[in-house]
Amino acid sequence: MRFKCTSLKYGSIFLLLLLISQSFNAVFAQDERKITGNLIDTENMPIIGASVSVKGTSKVTVTGDKGAFSISAKNGDKLVFTFMGYEAKEITIGTASSYKVTIKEANTSLTDVVVVGYGKGSRKGLSSAITSVKPEELNKGAIADVGQLLQGKVPGLNISASGDPNKPAAVILRGASTINSPGAPFYVIDGIPGADIAAIAPADIASIDVLKDAAATAIYGNRAASGVIIVTTKRGKSGMPQLSYSGYIAAEKVSNQLDLMDADQLRAYLTANKVAFSPNDDKGENVNWMKAIERSTAYSQNHNLSFSGGTDHSNYSASLNYFNKEGILSKSSLNRIIGRLNIDQYAFNDKVKFSLNLSNSSSKSINEPLQNIVLLQAAKRLPVSPIYNADGSYFENLNNTGYFNPVAIADNAQDETKYNVLVGGFNTEVKLPFGFTYNINLSYQKTTAAHGEFYSSYFGKYPTSNFYNNPDPGIGIAHTLIGGVFGTNGSALRSNFENTNKILETFLTWDKKIGDHTLNAVLGYSYQDNIIGDGFQTSSTNFPTDYVGFQNLTLGNPYAISSYRINLGNDLTYQRILMISDFFRLNYNYKSKYFLQGSIRRDGSSAFGKNNQWGYFPSVGLAWRVSEEEFMKGQSFVSDLKIRASYGVTGNSAGIGAYNGQLIYGISGTYYNNGVQAAGYAPTQGANPDLKWERTSTKNLGVDFGILNNKITGSVDVYDKNTNGMLFQYSVPQALVPGGRLWANGGSINNKGIEVSLNVSPIASKSFSWLSTINMAYNKNKITSLQGPISNTDSLRYSDPEGPGQTNATLQILKVGYPLGQFFTLKYAGKDASGNSLFYKHDGSTTTTPGIGTDYFYLGNAQPKVIMGWSNTFKYKELELNIFLRGTFGNKIFNATKADLSYTAGAAVNNILNSAADDKVTDTRNSFYSDRYIESGSYVRLDNATLGYNFKNLIKYVSNVRVYLSTNNLFTITGYKGVDPEINQGGAAPGIDYNNFYPKTRTFLLGLNASF
C-alpha cells in the first residue's frame, strides 16, 4: 500500500508539473508568436521595402518579395506599416496569424502638412499664401539649379533661365519689389536660414514650400521682402536599410541660332549695294562663327546614391551626388559633387530629439573665357574670313576696330572657379510638460570661391585702345576698356575669398488644445554673424611660357613691366555684419473653422545707420473654413472651402554691405609732394546715419477650395504689394555730401496681381489615371515714387548697349507711374524716298536725325502680364507620361542683338542678319534703337515631356526600377524673331536681348531610378 501511495504521490507531482508546463507554453504562445502576411497597395500591387514594426518596441522588419513580411508579436500588439509616399497604417493583432494589409498613397489634397517659418502646419489651417511642390512635381532634365526646377510650378514665381550651366536662374516672386537688387527669394534649407541652395542636390529634396505673402514671410523679417523658399531634404525612416539610385545621361543641342548671313548671302548683299570686302578679310571662306565657338553636342550625366534607415529611436539618411554638365559653348562646363548626411536621435523616452544636418558641395565651374566678348565677336565676325591661317595660326585682321577672332580668344585663355559650400546644422528639440517644446538650432555655413584667370601671350597682339568688355545692361553700367589687364607675355589672376555665416536660433513653442480652442505660439531669438569677402586677390604678368596657367603666379615677373599694376581686388571687400532678432507668432483656431495668425519680428543690423539699426515687421492673417460650417454638411459638391485674408510688413537689405551707411575715403587723383606724385585721398561716399531697411507691405485675399470629393482642388489669391524707402545710391552735390554719393532710402514701387492654381483629376481608375495641374498669375508693376534724399526726380534713363553711332542711346527709364523695365526709346517711322530710316520727333513730325532722349517715347514693358504653367500626367498601369507646358504673355523684348547686327553701313567689316537685307548700306541709322526692334516676348514652350515605366519585382532584392525618357524645350510657339524669348527677367534691366545671349539648348535624356 505504501508503494502504491508513493506512486500516486509522484504521479500527482508529475501531472502537476505537466499542467504547469502546458500553462507556461500557453502563456508564452499568447505572449508572442510568428505573424506573417503581405502588404499591398490599393491596386493590389505588392509593396516591397516597407517598414513593419511592433509599436512601442524595437522589433522591425521589412517587406520582401510580393510584399511578404514575418515578425514576432502577441495578441493586442499593433503593427505599424510605413513606406515613402504612402500613408502609415496600423493594425491590431488578433487571433489570426496571417494578415493581408492594404496601404494607400499619401493624400495630396488641402490637408497636406506644409513647412512654415519655425514650425509646420496643416494646409487646412493656413491663413497665408503658401504653395508646396513635391519632388515628383519638379521639372525634369539636366538641371542643377533649384530655380529651374521650379519654373512654371508656382503661381506668381517668374523664373528665367539661361543656357549657361554656371549661371543660376533669375527668380522673381510677385513682381520686382526693388530696383537696388535682383530681389530673389530668401532660401531656408532644413531650418537653416540663408543657406546656399548650391549645397542641395535635386534628388535629395523632399519638399519645397514657397511662402508668398507677408503673413507667411514676416517671421523672417528683414530678408523676406521677395518671398521665402523653404527646402526640406529627405530623412531616414525606421526599418531595414534602404538603398536608392537615380541617374541619367543627357545630350543637348542648340535649339535655335541667329539668322546671320552666310558668305554667299553677305557677298550678294554687298554687291547689290556696290560695296566690297577688304582683301584683308575676304579669304573665300564660308565660316559659321557661332558654330565655331559651340560644341555640336553637349553631354551631361547625373548620379545620386542614397542610403537610409533607422530604428524606433533613431534614423539616418546619407547621399552622394555627382553631376557633370557640358555647356554648349566649347569651353564651358560644370562639375559638382554633393555629399549629405542627416541624423535624428531620440533620447529620454523620446522626449529629446537631436538632429544633425551636414552637406558639402564642391563644384568646378569652367566658364567660356571672356564669354560676352566671344559671343559678340562670333555674331559679327565676317563669314568670308577663316578661323586659321594656312600655317595653323589664328587669322586676325586687327585693322578693323574692335574686331577679334572669338575662337582665338577662347583657346588662349582660362576662366575657372572652384566653389565649395559647407553647411552644418545641429538642432535639439525638447518636449516639455504642459504642451511646451523648446528648440535650439546652431548652424554654420562656409562658402569658398577660388577663382583663376589666365590670358596667354597671344593677347599681347590685341590693341588695348579698343578691346572693350561687353557687360549685361543695367543702371550705371557702361562698356570699359579691359585690354590693359592682358599685361605683357601673358597675364594671370587668382583670388580666394570665403564667406562664413554663424547662426544661433532658439525658440519656445506652445501647443495647447482647450475644448474647441487650439493654440500654437512661438517665441524666439536669433543671432547671426556674417563675414563676407575674407581672402585676397593678386595678379602677375611677364611669364616665360604660356603653359603656366594661373596656377603658377610666381613664375611671372611683373616688376619688370613699369606700366603694370598688380590687381589686388576691390576696396572694402572684407565685411562683417551682425544681426540680432526677436520674433513671436500666435496661431489660434476655433473648431478648425476660424483661424487667426499674428506675428512680429524685431531685427537689428550693424549694416544700417546708427539711428535706424532696428526694424519691426508685423503680420496678421484670418481664415474661415466655410466647409466646416453646419450649413455645408448636407451637400456633397463642395468638399473643402476656405477664405483667407492677411496683411504684413517685411524688409529687404539685399545689396547693402557693411559700410554703405558710413563715410568712405578712397584714392582720388595725385598731388605733388616733395618731388613725388603721391596718391591723394578724398571722400567717395557720404555717411547716412538714417539709412534703414526697405519695407514691403502686402495685402492678400485668398480662397482655397476642393469640390467633388477633392477631385478638383485649387486656390485663388489677390494681392497688393508696396515697397517704400527703396535702398539706392544717389548722386548728390558734393557741397552737401562729401564724395557726391550717398546710400539712402527713397522712392516706392507697387505690385498688384492675381494668382490661380487648379488641380483636376478627370480620370482615376485602377488601371488609368489623368491628373492635370495648371497655374496662372497676372502682375502689374508700377514705380510710385523716386523721391531722393536731396532732390525729387521723376525719371532716370538707363541700359545703354552703346550701339554704333548711338552715344548715350539708352533703352529703359525709371519713371513714376511706369513699371520697372519700361522701354523708352525712339519711334520708327519707316523710310524716306532715299531709303534712309525715319523717326518720329516728339512733336509728331518725322526726321532722319532724332534727338537722343528728347525724341523718345514710352514703347512697351519688359515685364510679362501673365505667366503660366500646365502639367498633365497620364498613368496606365506601370506606364506614365508627363507633359509640361510653360508660357509667358504680354511682355516686350528689346532685341538689341538684332539692332546691332542690322548695321548695314558696316556690312563690309561686320556680318549682319538676313532680316536687314532690305536696308541699304547708305542707311547709317537703320540700327538705331527704336520700337523697330521691340518685339512681343509672349511664348508657349513644351518645356518637358517624360515617358517612364515602373518595373516591380524585376530582380530579387530590387523593389522598384523606373526607366524614363525625357526631352526639354522640344518646341516653342512665339512671334519673337530672336534666338529665344526667355530673356532675363531679373535685376533692374529685364527684357533686353543683347549680344551676349548664351544659346538655349534642346535636351534628350535617358534616366533610371532603382530602390533596393
Side-chain angles (χ1 to χ4, degrees):
M1 295 292 294
R2 183 177 294 178
F3 176 76
K4 290 182 178 179
C5 290
T6 302
S7 299
L8 181 60
K9 176 182 177 182
Y10 283 106
S12 300
I13 293 173
F14 177 77
L15 182 59
L16 179 61
L17 291 174
L18 182 61
L19 291 172
I20 292 172
S21 175
Q22 292 298 321
S23 298
F24 273 120
N25 288 338
V27 170
F28 180 79
Q30 183 179 354
D31 281 347
E32 192 169 287
R33 68 183 193 277
K34 189 176 183 180
I35 304 298
T36 60
N38 297 85
L39 183 66
I40 60 173
D41 63 14
T42 54
E43 297 182 4
N44 206 34
M45 297 299 295
I47 303 295
I48 301 172
S51 172
V52 184
S53 61
V54 180
K55 191 172 184 178
T57 73
S58 59
K59 297 175 184 176
V60 179
T61 188
V62 175
T63 57
D65 290 344
K66 299 181 181 179
F69 64 90
S70 176
I71 194 169
S72 295
K74 63 179 185 297
N75 288 358
D77 278 347
K78 291 184 177 180
L79 296 188
V80 181
F81 299 83
T82 58
F83 190 66
M84 185 176 296
Y86 288 77
E87 294 181 358
K89 181 73 173 284
E90 285 189 12
I91 66 168
T92 302
I93 298 299
T95 57
S97 296
S98 182
Y99 294 86
K100 188 175 184 180
V101 182
T102 302
I103 60 174
K104 59 182 180 179
E105 291 189 54
N107 189 3
T108 56
S109 66
L110 298 174
T111 59
D112 282 349
V113 172
V114 297
V115 180
V116 296
Y118 308 100
K120 296 180 180 180
S122 172
R123 179 167 297 282
K124 68 181 181 181
L126 291 177
S127 58
S128 52
I130 299 178
T131 298
S132 299
V133 184
K134 305 302 183 202
E136 61 272 16
E137 299 169 338
L138 296 172
N139 287 322
K140 308 296 188 295
I143 299 172
D145 177 64
V146 170
Q148 292 184 55
L149 292 175
L150 290 171
Q151 269 190 307
K153 300 298 183 178
V154 179
L157 198 63
N158 185 10
I159 300 175
S160 50
S162 164
D164 189 347
N166 298 310
K167 185 177 181 180
V171 182
I172 302 295
L173 179 64
R174 291 186 164 184
S177 297
T178 180
I179 61 175
N180 170 56
S181 62
F186 181 67
Y187 287 96
V188 180
I189 302 175
D190 288 333
I192 301 175
D196 194 325
I197 201 63
I200 298 299
D204 289 336
I205 295 174
S207 68
I208 297 179
D209 295 280
V210 182
L211 284 56
K212 297 191 288 188
D213 67 346
T217 61
I219 195 69
Y220 287 106
N222 64 78
R223 295 163 290 184
S226 298
V228 176
I229 296 179
I230 299 179
V231 180
T232 303
T233 61
K234 296 176 181 177
R235 310 194 77 83
K237 295 184 179 181
S238 60
M240 293 293 289
Q242 303 286 305
L243 180 65
S244 298
Y245 166 81
S246 63
Y248 60 76
I249 55 174
E252 299 180 49
K253 288 186 173 291
V254 171
S255 57
N256 196 17
Q257 293 273 17
L258 290 169
D259 187 21
L260 292 160
M261 290 187 177
D262 62 21
D264 293 338
Q265 291 168 329
L266 186 57
R267 193 184 306 277
Y269 172 80
L270 293 178
T271 300
N273 282 269
K274 299 181 174 55
V275 180
F277 295 115
S278 164
N280 294 330
D281 291 314
D282 189 1
K283 304 301 179 181
E285 299 287 336
N286 187 13
V287 176
N288 186 322
W289 285 95
M290 293 302 297
K291 288 186 176 181
I293 63 170
E294 296 169 353
R295 294 183 171 101
S296 60
T297 304
Y299 295 98
S300 304
Q301 58 177 309
N302 181 79
H303 306 279
N304 195 89
L305 192 65
S306 63
F307 188 67
S308 64
T311 68
D312 282 353
H313 304 289
S314 65
N315 59 62
Y316 60 88
S317 176
S319 68
L320 185 65
N321 178 263
Y322 173 76
F323 178 79
N324 182 271
K325 181 180 176 70
E326 292 181 336
I328 202 65
L329 291 187
S330 60
K331 303 300 180 182
S332 61
S333 65
L334 171 63
N335 185 286
R336 177 179 294 168
I337 296 176
I338 300 177
R340 181 182 61 86
L341 174 65
N342 291 342
I343 298 176
D344 296 318
Q345 177 67 53
Y346 295 85
F348 303 106
N349 199 25
D350 292 346
K351 297 296 184 184
V352 179
K353 176 185 176 183
F354 301 102
S355 296
L356 176 66
N357 305 300
L358 288 175
S359 180
N360 191 86
S361 170
S362 179
S363 63
K364 182 179 180 180
S365 299
I366 299 179
N367 301 302
E368 191 79 4
L370 300 172
Q371 178 173 296
N372 288 0
I373 298 172
V374 167
L375 287 166
L376 171 63
Q377 294 294 331
K380 72 177 187 177
R381 190 124 178 122
L382 291 174
V384 296
S385 299
I387 301 174
Y388 305 102
N389 294 308
D391 61 1
S393 61
Y394 297 98
F395 175 82
E396 300 274 11
N397 180 9
L398 300 179
N399 294 319
N400 296 338
T401 302
Y403 189 75
F404 317 111
N405 188 328
V407 176
I409 292 174
D411 287 352
N412 286 280
Q414 296 173 266
D415 188 329
E416 178 183 302
T417 301
K418 293 180 179 178
Y419 189 68
N420 194 85
V421 183
L422 173 65
V423 179
F426 183 73
N427 311 321
T428 301
E429 180 179 281
V430 183
K431 293 183 179 179
L432 301 171
F434 311 111
F436 286 97
T437 303
Y438 177 69
N439 288 76
I440 181 167
N441 303 336
L442 300 172
S443 62
Y444 174 81
Q445 177 172 281
K446 179 180 179 180
T447 61
T448 304
H451 179 70
E453 298 176 28
F454 179 74
Y455 305 96
S456 77
S457 59
Y458 184 88
F459 284 84
K461 67 173 60 181
Y462 288 140
T464 59
S465 61
N466 60 52
F467 201 107
Y468 285 86
N469 65 354
N470 187 33
D472 295 331
I475 298 175
I477 296 176
H479 289 66
T480 57
L481 285 169
I482 62 169
V485 306
F486 299 144
T488 302
N489 297 324
S491 63
L493 177 146
R494 291 201 74 172
S495 66
N496 196 303
F497 291 101
E498 68 178 34
N499 302 335
T500 57
N501 189 356
K502 302 173 186 177
I503 303 175
L504 163 66
E505 292 193 314
T506 179
F507 54 95
L508 183 68
T509 305
W510 183 47
D511 273 303
K512 189 67 174 177
K513 186 173 178 62
I514 307 172
D516 293 329
H517 308 271
T518 303
L519 293 169
N520 174 273
V522 178
L523 176 65
Y525 168 83
S526 175
Y527 176 88
Q528 185 167 337
D529 185 353
N530 291 350
I531 294 178
I532 305 164
D534 186 6
F536 65 91
Q537 176 173 300
T538 189
S539 65
S540 187
T541 191
N542 199 20
F543 291 96
T545 175
D546 284 336
Y547 296 100
V548 296
F550 56 79
Q551 291 88 355
N552 296 282
L553 294 187
T554 56
L555 295 180
N557 184 16
Y559 307 106
I561 311 299
S562 59
S563 61
Y564 186 80
R565 295 293 178 267
I566 294 176
N567 186 345
L568 299 176
N570 297 326
D571 297 336
L572 307 176
T573 300
Y574 177 87
Q575 302 178 52
R576 184 183 183 190
I577 299 176
L578 296 178
M579 297 179 63
I580 297 175
S581 306
D582 308 296
F583 53 88
F584 174 74
R585 181 179 62 218
L586 175 65
N587 288 339
Y588 164 78
N589 83 70
Y590 175 68
K591 289 186 175 181
S592 293
K593 290 193 292 186
Y594 311 111
F595 300 86
L596 169 66
Q597 173 187 309
S599 72
I600 187 168
R601 182 167 178 131
R602 175 178 178 261
D603 280 330
S605 172
S606 62
F608 289 94
K610 60 183 181 180
N611 297 337
N612 282 303
Q613 290 189 325
W614 293 93
Y616 293 84
F617 306 100
S619 76
V620 62
L622 299 169
W624 175 27
R625 199 154 179 244
V626 183
S627 55
E628 291 299 303
E629 295 289 355
E630 287 299 323
F631 60 79
M632 295 291 289
K633 299 299 183 183
Q635 54 82 44
S636 58
F637 180 73
V638 177
S639 43
D640 214 315
L641 179 62
K642 182 177 63 177
I643 300 173
R644 298 177 277 106
S646 68
Y647 173 81
V649 179
T650 53
N652 177 49
S653 59
I656 293 297
Y659 313 113
N660 287 100
Q662 301 180 24
L663 177 64
I664 301 297
Y665 281 81
I667 295 176
S668 180
T670 60
Y671 68 98
Y672 191 74
N673 180 21
N674 197 25
V676 178
Q677 286 293 121
Y681 293 85
T684 58
Q685 173 187 290
N688 183 2
D690 295 320
L691 189 68
K692 61 183 179 181
W693 320 97
E694 292 181 356
R695 291 174 64 84
T696 299
S697 61
T698 304
K699 292 174 282 188
N700 194 97
L701 182 65
V703 176
D704 300 325
F705 60 87
I707 59 178
L708 300 175
N709 197 25
N710 285 344
K711 284 188 176 293
I712 301 175
T713 62
S715 64
V716 179
D717 281 274
V718 180
Y719 61 87
D720 186 353
K721 183 173 70 168
N722 288 280
T723 300
N724 294 287
M726 291 188 294
L727 294 162
F728 197 72
Q729 188 179 48
Y730 292 89
S731 297
V732 294
Q734 293 198 36
L736 299 176
V737 176
R741 292 189 174 275
L742 181 76
W743 278 95
N745 300 92
S748 56
I749 196 168
N750 173 262
N751 287 276
K752 290 185 175 73
I754 302 173
E755 299 167 352
V756 179
S757 65
L758 191 65
N759 308 298
V760 184
S761 181
I763 303 174
S765 66
K766 286 186 177 181
S767 59
F768 181 73
S769 66
W770 170 24
L771 175 64
S772 183
T773 301
I774 187 168
N775 71 80
M776 302 185 73
Y778 163 84
N779 184 79
K780 183 178 181 180
N781 175 269
K782 183 171 68 173
I783 297 171
T784 51
S785 172
L786 289 174
Q787 174 71 52
I790 303 299
S791 60
N792 182 17
T793 180
D794 73 339
S795 63
L796 171 67
R797 290 196 295 121
Y798 67 105
S799 296
D800 184 2
E802 300 184 43
Q806 301 179 77
T807 303
N808 199 31
T810 54
L811 308 182
Q812 293 175 311
I813 188 171
L814 297 178
K815 175 74 174 179
V816 174
Y818 290 87
L820 183 69
Q822 171 67 45
F823 293 124
F824 185 63
T825 186
L826 298 173
K827 193 171 183 180
Y828 184 65
K831 306 281 188 181
D832 66 8
S834 301
N836 295 316
S837 292
L838 286 170
F839 304 89
Y840 288 104
K841 297 184 69 175
H842 205 66
D843 61 7
S845 61
T846 60
T847 180
T848 57
T849 57
I852 299 298
T854 56
D855 290 324
Y856 275 17
F857 295 82
Y858 298 98
L859 295 169
N861 173 18
Q863 295 191 45
K865 293 179 180 178
V866 176
I867 55 177
M868 176 273 290
W870 184 21
S871 176
N872 286 275
T873 301
F874 305 91
K875 290 183 180 180
Y876 176 70
K877 295 184 178 179
E878 301 305 319
L879 189 67
E880 179 180 309
L881 173 65
N882 179 266
I883 298 173
F884 177 61
L885 293 98
R886 180 167 54 86
T888 296
F889 309 95
N891 60 307
K892 298 293 185 180
I893 297 174
F894 205 117
N895 196 342
T897 300
K898 183 178 180 181
D900 288 356
L901 294 176
S902 297
Y903 184 53
T904 52
V909 291
N910 293 293
N911 201 0
I912 60 174
L913 294 166
N914 275 302
S915 58
D918 293 334
D919 290 357
K920 296 182 178 181
V921 168
T922 54
D923 186 2
T924 58
R925 294 178 175 84
N926 76 312
S927 64
F928 269 30
Y929 300 133
S930 69
D931 64 342
R932 183 184 187 187
Y933 301 107
I934 296 177
E935 303 180 40
S936 169
S938 299
Y939 69 90
V940 173
R941 190 194 304 278
L942 179 53
D943 210 43
N944 179 265
T946 299
L947 179 66
Y949 189 86
N950 293 309
F951 297 90
K952 293 188 177 180
N953 303 318
L954 186 65
I955 307 173
K956 190 175 182 180
Y957 305 119
V958 180
S959 59
N960 186 70
V961 173
R962 181 174 186 264
V963 179
Y964 63 96
L965 295 169
S966 185
T967 180
N968 294 92
N969 190 20
L970 192 60
F971 66 79
T972 303
I973 301 172
T974 182
Y976 183 61
K977 303 301 182 184
V979 174
D980 193 277
E982 190 174 324
I983 305 299
N984 180 34
Q985 289 289 322
I992 297 178
D993 184 348
Y994 194 45
N995 288 315
N996 53 24
F997 186 85
Y998 195 105
K1000 295 282 284 187
T1001 60
R1002 180 171 295 117
T1003 307
F1004 299 92
L1005 181 149
L1006 173 63
L1008 171 69
N1009 299 337
S1011 300
F1012 304 88

